[in-house]
Amino acid sequence: MDPHSQFCHNPACSARGVIGQGNIRIFSRRERRYQCTTCDQTFTVTKDTPFYRLHKTAELMVLVLTLLCHGCPVQAIVAAFGLDERTVAAWQTRSGHHCQRVHEQVVQQEQVDVQHVQADELWVKMVGQRVWMAMALAVPSRLWLGGVISAKRDLVLITALVQMVRACACSLAILVCGRLGQLCNGLPAGVPNPTRTGRRGSPRLVLEKGLPLGQVIKRHAKRRVMSVTRRVVRGTAESIRAVLIATGGGNDINTAYIERLNATFRASMVALVRRGRALLHKEAGLTAGMYLVGCAYNFVWYHESLRAVAPAGASHKWQERIPAMAAGLTDHRWTMFELFSYQVPLPPWVAPKRRGRQATVNLSLATFKPLVRRNELLCSILVILHGSTSHRSHDRHSVSLLNSHSLLEYPRLNGVLGYGGELDV
């Protein structure tokens, strides 16, 4: 247990999500719990992970999710491990939501030099409906940039996909689309690149200047490709060809890499097969499965086209790499257990804004004093400190006796308190 690599998971703590401040200590090694010294809250090592409050072993869950990532049907897992089908579905949903947070934390930070991006969509058959799943890929690093699911293939779908690409990229040189390119005429009004003019209202969203945009249209007949049309939507053919050659994406406009990624997803997700009985009922399950396979593709699976020559003196000829290593997001290959154990830190705590006007009159401060014994008389004295609104008046201690008798009946007590029951400050 290493408390220096942990952070507080309490949303109400002022030190939440911050690592290395020294506010985390080991609370119990037997229960594997930490404690935050700022808010005194304790938490387990599996907090905010799919292993949190897991009734089965973590090794079994990792094994089941690994089989799901490689296209194993749920019924086969149920028959092999004796699990309930709802348990397997819950594990997949929980791990998918976790992988979505990991993708947003690691990939969508505007730090990937994507250069050449290919985007395409594929239709998914569900129970009673058919939805579209659009995805994007960075060609030089083969990094999966994310996906969007929508019931219609319209401008909303491609706008959400381009927004996701913009969240990942620090620079973009070319964008190549498939059938989504037919909606490129509406892109200048939907790409999230705000142009701020200082005027009131939301800024206008326009397309970046000098961004080439190409499209590939394939016409099918009887499940065969009859013709391929390449179209330059924006820019010139020479500029697009120069970027393609520089990034190793070929000589002509193509969508070969994103189509190969679509085939990988169809082979890894049972719900994406063209003809099958394992159809999904809700889009939430499809989104969870997409992020589960996408994170495994980025951080766990080696890509043969990304391997590099091993350094001199190494025992092997090639050095295998994953897309996240090629993009500079990590320096090693993650394991499935490491992927599911990754804890996404909470956003930094921001002090609540004080609202309303500041009080001009000091609030009354009540102080209780112990019982006073004078001539066998017990009196409870309540001293109230008054704040005056006038700068000319003097602050005084007004003393009230909580007694059923009047002060005039006890002259000796009046002598102790002072004339009129008041004490000068």
Side-chain angles (χ1 to χ4, degrees), residues 96-97 100 120-126 129-136 144 146-162 164 180 265 269 271-272 280-292:
H97 294 166
Q100 182 177 1
D120 195 11
E121 79 287 350
L122 53 89
W123 62 269
V124 182
K125 185 178 180 181
M126 301 179 63
Q129 61 176 334
R130 189 176 72 171
V131 298
W132 294 92
M133 185 171 67
M135 297 187 296
W144 178 70
V148 181
I149 299 175
S150 176
K152 296 181 180 180
R153 185 173 57 177
D154 52 3
L155 183 60
V156 178
L157 176 63
I158 188 174
T159 301
L161 184 63
V162 175
M164 188 169 295
L180 289 176
F265 270 73
M269 295 180 60
L272 296 185
L280 293 176
H281 293 262
K282 298 181 180 179
E283 294 183 7
L286 181 60
T287 303
M290 178 186 65
Y291 276 99
L292 178 61

Side-chain angles (χ1 to χ4, degrees), residues 14-304:
S14 59
R16 67 180 187 185
V18 182
I19 302 176
Q21 280 195 348
N23 61 315
I24 304 298
R25 70 179 187 91
I26 298 177
F27 182 78
S28 174
R29 292 185 179 273
R30 181 179 179 181
E31 299 179 358
R32 298 177 61 83
R33 298 186 68 89
Y34 294 99
Q35 184 182 23
C36 176
T37 57
T38 303
C39 61
D40 294 335
Q41 293 289 331
T42 62
F43 56 91
T44 63
V45 296
T46 59
K47 182 68 174 179
D48 292 337
T49 65
F51 305 131
Y52 184 63
R53 293 182 178 178
L54 185 65
H55 296 281
K56 302 291 184 179
T57 61
E59 291 76 10
L60 177 60
M61 184 178 185
V62 171
L63 181 59
V64 170
L65 294 177
T66 303
L67 293 176
L68 289 176
C69 288
H70 288 80
C72 183
V74 178
Q75 296 298 333
I77 297 176
V78 171
F81 297 98
L83 299 173
D84 191 86
E85 185 176 356
R86 293 168 296 181
T87 301
V88 179
W91 287 359
Q92 184 179 14
T93 303
R94 187 190 306 180
S95 60
H97 294 166
H98 174 76
C99 290
Q100 182 177 1
R101 296 177 57 197
V102 173
H103 181 80
E104 295 173 355
Q105 174 67 23
V106 180
V107 181
Q108 295 183 2
Q109 296 296 327
E110 297 184 356
Q111 58 182 356
V112 181
D113 187 12
V114 294
Q115 299 181 9
H116 177 196
V117 176
Q118 291 187 2
D120 195 11
E121 79 287 350
L122 53 89
W123 62 269
V124 182
K125 185 178 180 181
M126 301 179 63
V127 176
Q129 61 176 334
R130 189 176 72 171
V131 298
W132 294 92
M133 185 171 67
M135 297 187 296
L137 174 75
V139 175
S141 60
R142 308 297 193 272
L143 185 70
W144 178 70
L145 302 178
V148 181
I149 299 175
S150 176
K152 296 181 180 180
R153 185 173 57 177
D154 52 3
L155 183 60
V156 178
L157 176 63
I158 188 174
T159 301
L161 184 63
V162 175
Q163 287 178 355
M164 188 169 295
V165 173
R166 171 52 57 197
C168 301
C170 63
S171 63
L172 182 61
I174 184 176
L175 176 63
V176 179
C177 302
R179 285 285 183 177
L180 289 176
Q182 296 178 356
L183 306 173
C184 292
N185 295 330
L187 270 178
V191 175
N193 186 22
T195 302
R196 305 187 183 276
T197 59
R199 300 179 180 178
R200 297 179 59 183
S202 59
R204 183 181 179 183
L205 303 178
V206 298
L207 196 65
E208 288 187 358
K209 296 182 179 180
L211 176 62
L213 184 61
Q215 180 188 8
V216 177
I217 301 176
K218 295 183 179 181
R219 304 187 183 278
H220 298 77
K222 297 182 180 180
R223 299 183 180 179
R224 292 186 179 182
V225 179
M226 304 304 297
S227 63
V228 178
T229 304
R230 296 175 175 86
R231 186 167 67 97
V232 178
V233 180
R234 186 168 183 175
T236 61
E238 291 75 13
S239 61
I240 293 179
R241 183 186 297 272
V243 175
L244 290 176
I245 296 176
T247 57
N251 298 327
D252 296 328
I253 300 176
N254 64 87
T255 56
Y257 298 96
I258 187 63
E259 290 179 0
R260 183 63 185 88
L261 180 66
N262 291 342
T264 302
F265 270 73
R266 285 195 181 275
S268 303
M269 295 180 60
V270 183
L272 296 185
V273 296
R274 298 184 183 275
R275 295 182 180 181
R277 301 177 60 184
L279 301 180
L280 293 176
H281 293 262
K282 298 181 180 179
E283 294 183 7
L286 181 60
T287 303
M290 178 186 65
Y291 276 99
L292 178 61
V293 176
C295 284
Y297 173 85
N298 283 340
F299 298 100
V300 181
W301 297 347
Y302 284 126
H303 205 290
E304 185 176 357

